[in-house]
């Protein structure tokens, strides 16, 4: 059997969830969209059920997958519905629904619903992605109430730059949010992972941690705030071949790596078809038999090369950690010019193994 796999540590996931709740002193929706950032939404939700205040996903397809697996906790649709025809299902399955646009508000007003909805009314406080304009916010709130189709409304917004701890943008967005909700007494939800970890002064009744649940830092440079996170995924494989090369030999496609000294190069069963970033440069950290070494040469579809020259005890069969508790996914991602969010989401083909 091919040795490539992603080992998912569910106790680390629970640790990180508890941390999000502790740090914020708020209720926390565990964000498990995009198959729990590649970690397997059903298994992750099952591991958190019983203690999670609820879950958040991107669309009804993801929510129904959780319901089909027997998850009964609240599930929030972060973009609400995409078509009004989803509304009966939303009610039937007791899903919570973001309203981010006036067309959604109108659809709710016109819908015939057997039970009232739980709505999270989203304000565009400055990110300019989705959310109602501040001038429409109070009116939308009143119209939802007047529709008679809504049981409860939570007020929410989303930060564009909470991962930049020196940037005033989040404070400015908070001020816009506070002004827009003046006079409304409803629960609020603002903070994603970087805001939970880095902005303790920002209020929230509900937080929405995603990446931090999986133990990766949302910050570009690992700050002290992320230190207590425990990485959940270990992407691992084994060395399947080793060659000894003199100095001056090129390795792999495009001869991107050329040995500078007599070298031992190991081939690992892991490639970009598994989601390992093809753009990872020479020198990207890799752990072989517990020793840190580096990627050497271009990543192929099913294999990649590592420099074993300074890991003399390693050979065919040695265990390789591409990322995990020693080599952080965020470090690999940064070296490859991307973010941990993306390298997790890109994962495919490798079996997930839960411990
Ligand atoms: C994805 C998402 C989150 C989670 O973000 P992280 O940075 O992973 O914590 C929170 N809120 C909304 C609206 C989202 O779309």
């Amino acid at each position: 059997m091919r040795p490539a796999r992603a080992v998912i540590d569910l106790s680390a996931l629970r640790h990180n969830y508890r941390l999000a709740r502790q740090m914020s002193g708020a209720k926390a929706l565990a964000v498990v969209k995009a198959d729990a950032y590649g970690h397997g939404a059903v298994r992750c939700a099952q591991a958190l059920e019983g203690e999670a205040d609820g879950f958040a996903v991107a669309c009804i397809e993801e929510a129904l997958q959780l319901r089909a697996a027997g998850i009964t906790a609240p599930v929030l649709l972060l973009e609400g519905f995409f078509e009004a025809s989803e509304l009966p299902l939303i009610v039937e399955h007791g899903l919570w629904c973001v309203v981010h646009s006036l067309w959604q508000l109108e659809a709710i007003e016109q819908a015939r619903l057997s039970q009232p909805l739980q709505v999270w009314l989203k304000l565009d406080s400055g990110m300019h992605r989705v959310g109602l304009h501040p001038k429409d916010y109070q009116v939308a709130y009143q119209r939802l109430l007047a529709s008679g189709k809504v049981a409860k409304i939570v007020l929410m917004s989303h930060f564009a730059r909470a991962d930049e701890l020196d940037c005033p943008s989040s404070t400015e967005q908070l001020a816009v949010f506070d002004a827009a909700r003046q006079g409304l007494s409803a629960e609020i939800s603002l903070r994603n992972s970087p805001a939970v970890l880095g902005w303790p002064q920002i209020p929230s009744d509900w937080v929405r941690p995603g990446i931090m649940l999986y133990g990766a830092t949302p910050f570009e440079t690992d700050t002290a705030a992320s230190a207590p996170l425990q990485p959940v995924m270990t992407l691992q494989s084994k060395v399947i071949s080793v060659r000894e090369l003199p100095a001056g030999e090129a390795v792999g496609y495009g001869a991107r790596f050329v040995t500078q000294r007599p070298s031992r190069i190991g081939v690992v069963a892991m490639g970009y078809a598994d989601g390992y970033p093809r753009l990872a440069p020479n020198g990207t950290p890799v752990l072989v038999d517990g020793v840190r070494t580096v990627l050497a040469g271009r990543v192929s579809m099913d294999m990649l090369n590592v420099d074993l020259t300074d890991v003399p005890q390693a050979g065919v069969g040695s265990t390789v950690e591409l990322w995990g508790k020693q080599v952080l996914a965020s470090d690999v991602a940064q070296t490859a010019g991307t973010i941990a969010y993306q390298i997790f989401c890109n994962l495919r083909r490798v079996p997930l193994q839960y411990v």
Side-chain angles (χ1 to χ4, degrees), residues 197-268:
L197 293 165
W199 296 86
Q201 67 280 26
I202 289 184
S204 261
D205 298 299
W206 290 89
V207 294
R208 308 186 304 268
I211 195 75
M212 71 173 289
L213 296 181
Y214 309 103
T217 179
F219 303 111
E220 196 161 323
T221 48
D222 210 6
T223 66
S226 329
L229 296 178
Q230 294 180 3
V232 171
M233 180 191 295
T234 300
L235 182 65
Q236 64 181 46
S237 191
K238 288 190 188 301
V239 174
I240 60 169
S241 178
V242 176
R243 48 201 24 71
E244 313 256 353
L245 296 171
E249 288 293 315
V251 174
Y253 284 124
R256 191 184 68 182
F257 179 79
V258 177
T259 54
Q260 299 300 302
R261 54 180 177 168
S263 298
R264 287 178 76 235
I265 301 296
V267 180
V268 180

Side-chain angles (χ1 to χ4, degrees), residues 31 33 37 78 122 129 156 158 192-194 208-211 341:
V31 179
K33 63 189 177 188
Y37 297 41
L78 287 166
K122 188 163 185 178
R129 190 174 61 180
M156 76 178 288
H158 193 63
N192 55 359
S193 297
R208 308 186 304 268
I211 195 75
Y341 296 76

Side-chain angles (χ1 to χ4, degrees), residues 287-341:
L287 201 76
V288 181
D289 277 345
V291 179
R292 252 177 118 88
T293 180
V294 294
L295 183 75
R298 228 177 239 168
V299 174
S300 325
M301 187 181 288
D302 312 312
M303 289 176 277
L304 53 77
N305 302 298
V306 293
D307 190 343
L308 299 181
T309 314
D310 297 326
V311 200
Q313 72 279 19
V316 170
S318 287
T319 295
V320 178
E321 175 185 305
L322 288 312
W323 59 71
K325 296 187 198 285
Q326 314 288 325
V327 171
L328 298 180
S330 48
D331 290 343
V332 173
Q334 193 167 30
T335 312
T338 181
I339 53 177
Y341 296 76

Side-chain angles (χ1 to χ4, degrees), residues 81 99 101-111 143 149:
F81 50 91
V99 169
S101 291
L102 288 172
W103 70 262
Q104 291 177 319
L105 169 61
E106 286 156 15
I108 289 171
E109 286 175 326
Q110 283 158 25
R143 278 173 60 182
K149 290 166 186 160

Side-chain angles (χ1 to χ4, degrees), residues 108-113 115-117 144-151:
I108 289 171
E109 286 175 326
Q110 283 158 25
R112 304 217 342 230
L113 303 176
Q115 278 174 61
L117 281 172
L144 281 173
L145 283 187
S147 75
K149 290 166 186 160
V150 173

